[in-house]
Amino acid sequence: SGKRRIILFGYNDEVKALLGETCPNYRIHLVSDTVSKETEVELLKKKIRLHRADFLKLSKKQLANFMRTIEAEKAEQIILFEESSVKNFSLYQMFHEEKIQELLTEEVRFICRCEDEGIRRIIEDYHDSNKNAAMDLELIGIHELRARDILLNHSLHEYWKDSGKPAKEWKLHL
């Protein structure tokens, strides 16, 4: 079908919020071994495909089969959103093993959650030095996501507009 494919690793409060809305234009594959039965039913109602697995513990043969199951070759985005920055980096590295890399489209975009500044630098160095690295990698932290959300939903000029101060006194740079 013409739906855009997204593969999402990890299930936590942030992912739950992200999946809060149904997305008819997307086919979402959620990979997690921590989803409850009740949540699984909710996900099925939203037509989100759940795959119970710890990707990093699969054998090479299991991994190859699993990649077909999650339609990796059609994925437009692979979102690595485990709570552990180290686990997300391990997943990112795994997707760059030659046999797996060959399955992915060149346009695939990786979004990788990383809360640790040291791990972030390691991921950036790995990405920059790896000739097989995905063209598009975005590292994101929860605090950055929250800041983006605040700025998108509450622009700075609205704060000053409602402050009662004259525009000349606004501490706002455009």
Side-chain angles (χ1 to χ4, degrees), residues 92 96 101 126-128 130-136:
Y92 184 70
H96 290 87
Q101 177 81 32
Y126 176 83
H127 177 76
D128 293 344
N130 187 335
K131 65 178 176 21
N132 294 326
M135 296 298 278
D136 198 356

Side-chain angles (χ1 to χ4, degrees), residues 91-108:
L91 287 165
Y92 184 70
Q93 286 179 302
M94 187 214 52
F95 272 102
H96 290 87
E97 290 178 13
E98 193 173 333
K99 293 284 185 202
I100 295 173
Q101 177 81 32
E102 292 169 357
L103 296 171
L104 304 175
T105 67
E106 286 185 27
E107 297 82 33
V108 70

Side-chain angles (χ1 to χ4, degrees), residues 32-174:
S32 175
D33 58 353
T34 62
V35 175
S36 69
K37 284 287 181 196
E38 299 82 43
T39 302
E40 184 174 357
V41 171
E42 290 172 30
L43 294 171
L44 283 170
K45 287 178 185 173
K46 294 178 185 176
K47 300 194 181 332
I48 295 170
R49 295 179 180 194
L50 174 65
H51 307 277
R52 291 183 179 277
D54 185 339
F55 223 59
L56 298 173
K57 293 181 180 174
L58 298 177
S59 69
K60 295 238 185 254
K61 186 174 183 178
Q62 289 172 318
L63 197 55
N65 290 333
F66 199 71
M67 293 302 272
R68 283 189 286 282
T69 303
I70 63 173
E71 301 179 297
E73 73 283 355
K74 297 177 184 174
E76 292 181 33
Q77 289 185 333
I78 297 174
I79 303 172
L80 309 173
F81 228 75
E82 297 282 355
E83 290 181 356
S84 163
S85 299
V86 172
K87 188 166 186 178
N88 289 329
F89 178 43
S90 296
L91 287 165
Y92 184 70
Q93 286 179 302
M94 187 214 52
F95 272 102
H96 290 87
E97 290 178 13
E98 193 173 333
K99 293 284 185 202
I100 295 173
Q101 177 81 32
E102 292 169 357
L103 296 171
L104 304 175
T105 67
E106 286 185 27
E107 297 82 33
V108 70
R109 179 171 186 232
F110 281 86
I111 300 171
C112 184
R113 175 181 175 179
C114 186
E115 305 298 333
D116 182 285
E117 203 52 47
I119 302 291
R120 180 181 286 254
R121 281 193 295 278
I122 292 170
I123 295 171
E124 288 169 344
D125 289 347
Y126 176 83
H127 177 76
D128 293 344
S129 65
N130 187 335
K131 65 178 176 21
N132 294 326
M135 296 298 278
D136 198 356
L137 168 66
E138 180 178 0
L139 293 171
I140 193 86
I142 293 302
H143 300 296
E144 292 169 86
L145 285 176
R146 290 194 178 125
R148 281 185 191 178
D149 183 55
I150 289 169
L151 290 172
L152 283 172
N153 295 318
H154 310 283
S155 56
L156 291 174
H157 76 278
E158 287 178 11
Y159 168 80
W160 288 104
K161 187 172 78 178
D162 297 336
S163 71
K165 293 186 178 193
K168 284 188 264 178
E169 294 179 25
W170 291 4
K171 294 178 172 74
L172 178 66
H173 300 280
L174 300 175

